[in-house]
Amino acid sequence: MQVISRVKLHSRNVLQEIWKNKVMFLMLLPIIVYFVVFHYLVMPGAYVAFVDFNIRNGIFGSKFVGLDNFQFLFKNGDLWNITKNTLLYNFVFLALGNVIQIVFAVMLAEISGKWFKKITQSVLLLPYFISMVIVGVFAYNMFNYDSGFVNTVLTSLGFERYEFYSNPDIWKYIIVAFKIWSATGYGMIVYLATITGISNELYEAAYMDGASKWQRIRHMTLPMLKPTFILLLLFGLGGILKGSFDLFYNLIGTNSVLYPQTDIIDTYVFRSLVGQFNFSMGAAVGFYQSIFGLVIVLVVNLIVRKIEPDSALF
Amino acid sequence: MGTKTVGKEDFSSFLIKAISYVCIFCFALACAFPFVLMISSSFMNEQEIVREGYKLIPNHFSLKAYELLFRNSTVLSKAYGVTIFITVIGTVAGLLMMSMAGFVLNRKDFKYRHFFSFMIYFTTLFAGGLIPSYILMVKYLHLKDSLFAMILPGVVGAWSIFLMRNFMKSIPDSLYESATIDGAGDFRIYWQIFMPLAIPALATIGLFSALGFWNEWYNGMLYIQTPDKFPLQYVLQRMINQTNVQALINQGAVINSADLPSQSIKMATAVMATGPIILLYPFAQRYFVSGLTIGAVKG
């Protein structure tokens, strides 16, 4: 009895609260509706991974098949290959990307020429602004067999043309290079912001004590960048199973010759939707990606909270 | 002794500085190179490309690709129209929704702000995936072939909402309190007091969002079927993947197909699709840099 009345009281409080703040709730309403429809309603849709999907019957009308879709993916080996590729690419993007961004941020901080600094900074950020479709154009422009710039140079130097679009091995490097190319400017500025935030007095004091430029970079600047580095690394690790679909699709497209080295989870799921209309298989991979990704975020966060409590995400 | 350390210091400084200049200069060249190559190959004539491939400095300067593009500009102008439409509607709607949310989620007297913040945050951890989203959009919301299919998926972002909320935090509470005493309602406070003060955040997030819509091609590829509704970048993407550009060129055009600048026209279209961004760039870049700095400092 008491419990019931307390529940009643509580629910009345909620309603009262909503009524009292109705304007604020109304202002929040579009976002609530948006997230409920486009994120929360989609989540139970992951159930499509456990059925034999048929568009006419809808997700919940299709036949339940349990883990058959997952079993098939494990057996045919696709899952292993795309997981491996996704993890490796993202790991290289993260590690190499951040190191290069830090190096460039430190170097840019060392430069004193105002004009030089301004212009180069703008140019370095430029690749971040353009769409990956344009990046795809660039790749085509450089590597296509008949008229690509690299082959133009090779033939003019008397070498044989190289057939980039049928050699999977070289694309690992091309993809990584384009990723670094497009992301360095952005990341560099984040690190540069941290460096500019370091008090000048600290550097002057170190200079007085006889620390060389290199020592100051090594023992002052780099340690100060550590929290930013860890934070960005964490964000990155959380998304380590989410690929840069944009980049991969625009560079590789539907060139299946290159798949062994360049297929990632996102491109695989996309193909199962658009090319093969195999909704259930694609959804199974997507579900696996989401769960695996969530586990990675939680584990990484747990580890970080142990080592560096201040840097933990939650 | 003292002068000796200074001398050593000078040399190491000089070395580091010199290396920095060289490396940054080289990387800047690498960043600019594809743009230059794209622009110069759009001015090459077809025979030269077929014979010698794309080059940095064309032997013969030709405007043919652009002439063709402009003479048969319906496809391109329609795509421009679509892209401008989704960019404007998407950015304005997104900014309105996100700034209202940021305002409310920052209000300390709003009891459920932690609950709703977590609800938004959770979506960055776990997502239903592409296929359930696709089924939702097509089967349940009936958005196939609708321009809104390109606007809705990207209209707001969890991180932008938090950036907005954090920015609102920097506006002193006393402003809000005095406005309440003067009898202003919540919406009025948001619209007349917070919005003008939040212009730096609005500009940053607005630019990010506009850039996202301008570069949109993915949802176009997934959901749009009518060529008239293709966004600019998707038109470009299809062109690059098509070996035959004939599809772009109207039947009415009188062109000798052997003469058709199929290679340079790809580059000319790419230049046209990038153009507005390059023009907007000097203006946008300033806000981007300051916006990134706000984001970085506040985590």
Side-chain angles (χ1 to χ4, degrees):
Chain A
M1 196 55 197
Q2 214 182 355
V3 174
I4 291 171
S5 68
R6 198 184 288 159
V7 167
K8 255 187 182 163
L9 199 70
H10 189 72
S11 67
R12 196 157 72 231
N13 276 347
V14 172
L15 288 178
Q16 268 174 353
E17 185 73 25
I18 292 177
W19 183 248
K20 205 179 79 198
N21 291 319
K22 55 185 178 302
V23 178
M24 281 205 270
F25 271 100
L26 272 177
M27 286 168 77
L28 199 58
L29 193 66
I31 289 285
I32 297 175
V33 170
Y34 180 84
F35 276 91
V36 166
V37 173
F38 287 95
H39 290 273
Y40 285 91
L41 277 184
V42 173
M43 287 178 193
Y47 175 72
V48 75
F50 301 92
V51 300
D52 185 12
F53 184 74
N54 177 327
I55 190 111
R56 206 173 307 132
N57 300 334
I59 297 178
F60 297 98
S62 297
K63 188 172 158 261
F64 180 77
V65 296
L67 294 174
D68 282 6
N69 295 322
F70 295 91
Q71 231 165 18
F72 178 78
L73 286 165
F74 271 113
K75 269 195 194 129
N76 74 5
D78 284 353
L79 205 56
W80 166 238
N81 187 43
I82 55 176
T83 306
K84 187 191 73 185
N85 281 348
T86 311
L87 285 173
L88 280 177
Y89 273 113
N90 277 332
F91 191 75
V92 173
F93 291 166
L94 257 180
L96 195 62
N98 270 295
V99 168
I100 289 178
Q101 287 158 15
I102 290 176
V103 169
F104 273 96
V106 170
M107 290 199 296
L108 204 64
E110 289 305 319
I111 277 175
S112 43
K114 213 175 164 194
W115 277 102
F116 184 83
K117 203 169 179 167
K118 225 176 187 166
I119 291 171
T120 48
Q121 196 180 325
S122 303
V123 176
L124 292 186
L125 195 56
L126 191 57
Y128 182 74
F129 276 72
I130 54 157
S131 77
M132 282 296 165
V133 175
I134 302 282
V135 176
V137 174
F138 289 162
Y140 172 85
N141 202 324
M142 297 227 258
F143 302 121
N144 89 70
Y145 185 74
D146 294 318
S147 50
F149 183 77
V150 175
N151 279 326
T152 311
V153 173
L154 283 179
T155 45
S156 72
L157 293 175
F159 292 102
E160 287 279 298
R161 281 170 193 276
Y162 188 81
E163 230 176 295
F164 287 95
Y165 283 92
S166 51
N167 282 301
D169 289 318
I170 199 155
W171 284 90
K172 285 181 281 200
Y173 307 105
I174 296 178
I175 286 173
V176 170
F178 269 113
K179 177 75 181 187
I180 303 267
W181 178 83
S182 71
T184 297
Y186 179 93
M188 180 191 79
I189 282 169
V190 173
Y191 283 113
L192 194 62
T194 317
I195 296 178
T196 7
I198 303 172
S199 141
N200 244 334
E201 286 166 28
L202 279 174
Y203 283 111
E204 274 160 25
Y207 176 73
M208 290 306 200
D209 289 342
S212 72
K213 189 105 224 173
W214 172 242
Q215 281 172 325
R216 273 175 278 160
I217 292 174
R218 169 82 185 67
H219 296 289
M220 297 176 68
T221 313
L222 294 182
M224 301 265 202
L225 290 178
K226 208 172 107 187
T228 315
F229 176 69
I230 292 177
L231 195 74
L232 291 179
L233 207 64
L234 276 183
F235 278 127
L237 280 177
I240 199 153
L241 275 190
K242 291 179 200 148
S244 320
F245 175 85
D246 263 23
L247 175 71
F248 284 80
Y249 187 78
N250 280 303
L251 292 192
I252 306 301
T254 47
N255 185 348
S256 58
V257 182
L258 307 180
Y259 288 161
Q261 303 284 349
T262 61
D263 207 13
I264 54 169
I265 296 179
D266 293 85
T267 47
Y268 186 91
V269 175
F270 174 79
R271 273 206 315 283
S272 62
L273 173 69
V274 171
Q276 302 148 3
F277 301 102
N278 200 336
F279 285 58
S280 293
M281 217 56 85
V285 181
F287 185 69
Y288 156 86
Q289 179 187 29
S290 290
I291 294 290
F292 199 178
L294 181 65
V295 171
I296 291 177
V297 179
L298 295 178
V299 169
V300 166
N301 191 61
L302 208 71
I303 297 170
V304 172
R305 217 164 45 190
K306 283 253 155 66
I307 311 171
E308 290 244 353
D310 292 342
S311 307
L313 294 178
F314 49 87
Chain B
M1 186 65 191
T3 43
K4 206 179 169 189
T5 19
V6 170
K8 220 168 136 194
E9 149 76 19
D10 279 347
F11 183 70
S12 83
S13 288
F14 172 77
L15 198 67
I16 287 173
K17 212 174 235 186
I19 293 172
S20 302
Y21 269 100
V22 172
C23 288
I24 287 178
F25 182 72
C26 290
F27 195 52
L29 276 188
C31 284
F33 174 78
F35 290 93
V36 177
L37 187 63
M38 170 179 82
I39 293 168
S40 59
S41 26
S42 73
F43 288 115
M44 284 177 80
N45 77 36
E46 194 64 13
Q47 285 84 7
E48 195 183 344
I49 294 178
V50 171
R51 221 173 32 240
E52 298 168 42
Y54 291 128
K55 287 195 300 194
L56 266 183
I57 304 153
N59 293 345
H60 306 283
F61 182 83
S62 156
L63 280 172
K64 203 155 191 183
Y66 288 96
E67 252 177 56
L68 259 170
L69 267 189
F70 284 114
R71 209 186 309 144
N72 307 283
S73 61
T74 37
V75 177
L76 209 58
S77 62
K78 273 190 181 132
Y80 255 109
V82 169
T83 293
I84 291 170
F85 178 79
I86 61 172
T87 303
V88 171
I89 301 287
T91 307
V92 171
L95 279 181
L96 205 63
M97 286 165 75
M98 291 190 286
S99 60
M100 288 196 296
F103 172 76
V104 174
L105 292 177
N106 173 47
R107 286 277 297 269
K108 285 175 195 65
D109 55 335
F110 186 67
K111 224 173 145 184
Y112 302 104
R113 65 183 196 281
H114 295 300
F115 169 75
F116 285 117
S117 294
F118 183 79
M119 190 180 129
I120 293 168
Y121 175 65
F122 183 72
T123 61
T124 65
L125 297 180
F126 184 83
L130 169 65
I131 303 221
S133 309
Y134 181 85
I135 297 173
L136 173 85
M137 292 281 284
V138 173
K139 191 171 161 66
Y140 297 101
L141 299 177
H142 304 290
L143 284 173
K144 185 114 197 169
D145 213 26
S146 153
L147 288 184
F148 287 95
M150 291 183 285
I151 296 175
L152 287 172
V155 74
V156 299
W159 293 119
S160 303
I161 295 174
F162 290 129
L163 195 75
M164 201 67 104
R165 188 195 64 182
N166 285 354
F167 191 86
M168 301 270 185
K169 252 183 203 151
S170 66
I171 300 172
D173 284 344
S174 53
L175 257 174
Y176 156 73
E177 279 152 21
S178 61
T180 329
I181 292 167
D182 290 343
D186 289 316
F187 187 77
R188 211 183 146 102
I189 296 173
Y190 153 78
W191 188 250
Q192 291 191 336
I193 298 176
F194 275 68
M195 282 298 260
L197 290 171
I199 283 175
L202 291 171
T204 310
I205 294 167
L207 279 166
F208 266 104
S209 154
L211 199 65
F213 284 115
W214 187 271
N215 288 340
E216 153 63 32
W217 61 280
Y218 178 60
N219 292 310
M221 175 170 73
L222 274 183
Y223 301 114
I224 305 298
Q225 288 164 321
T226 317
D228 280 0
K229 294 179 185 169
F230 287 159
L232 195 52
Q233 306 286 341
Y234 184 45
V235 168
L236 176 64
Q237 205 246 357
R238 281 168 59 96
M239 239 172 92
I240 293 300
N241 293 339
Q242 265 167 0
T243 41
N244 185 2
V245 207
Q246 200 83 42
L248 176 95
I249 289 149
N250 275 5
Q251 297 303 322
V254 192
I255 323 155
N256 179 357
S257 65
D259 213 31
L260 188 69
S262 62
Q263 294 297 328
S264 54
I265 211 166
K266 286 178 183 173
M267 295 306 143
T269 313
V271 171
M272 297 296 294
T274 323
I277 288 196
I278 307 278
L279 294 180
L280 194 74
Y281 185 64
F283 166 76
Q285 191 217 351
R286 204 177 49 220
Y287 279 103
F288 258 67
V289 173
S290 63
L292 282 177
T293 319
I294 297 173
V297 172
K298 299 210 164 160

